[in-house]
Amino acid sequence: MNRIAAILALILLSGTAAAVEQELGTDEFGISAPAQITYSLDARPKPERLDFDFRAGDSRAWINDAGDFQVGGWIKHTGLRCATYRMGVRFGVGSPGCLNVEWITDPLFVTSELQCNDARIEHSGGDTDVRLGKRLATITCGERVVRCAGNCK
């Protein structure tokens, strides 16, 4: 019971109690990866950056303590008719790693590419969310999310 009260207090105090979709849409698919922590070399080490290796399509992402994040990887389009692919990432807290994840962000899309004729294109992009940087120590999981619109197969 104390654990539930502590979690509720953390959510209310953090000011990020906005509803986050836990399920992806029908036009989205994702691959999760546990966080790999890089610590600062200060007298009191603290998490400075988290890296995520999604393996699929050589996809990787990272986020640092300032809230800067980057995601990139290859997406393969199947077919001649075109589709638009967007790549993004969302972050969550699991116990442990990527099990029982509670997503703290909706997918943050940072790329958009029109792909045709069986094209395989590298997507890469990033952004900054200072609120995420403040929560870096709690993030245990990332998910690369791809959204497709058009002739998706």
Side-chain angles (χ1 to χ4, degrees), residues 58-127:
D58 299 321
S59 296
R60 288 181 167 68
W62 58 263
I63 182 170
N64 65 21
D65 57 357
D68 302 321
F69 66 91
Q70 180 93 25
V71 63
W74 292 84
I75 297 177
K76 171 83 168 113
H77 172 71
T78 304
L80 298 176
R81 296 180 61 202
C82 302
T84 299
Y85 292 88
R86 298 178 70 201
M87 183 184 284
V89 65
R90 66 179 178 168
F91 301 99
V93 179
S95 176
C98 286
L99 296 176
N100 305 312
V101 177
E102 180 75 24
W103 298 108
I104 61 174
T105 64
D106 287 317
L108 305 166
F109 291 100
V110 293
T111 73
S112 181
E113 296 284 345
L114 180 66
Q115 296 181 221
C116 310
N117 303 329
D118 288 324
R120 182 175 184 253
I121 294 180
E122 184 174 21
H123 290 244
S124 182
D127 203 352

Side-chain angles (χ1 to χ4, degrees), residues 33-38 49-53 60-63:
Q36 299 168 349
I37 304 171
T38 301
R49 175 177 154 146
L50 302 176
D51 290 281
F52 306 90
D53 183 357
R60 288 181 167 68
W62 58 263
I63 182 170

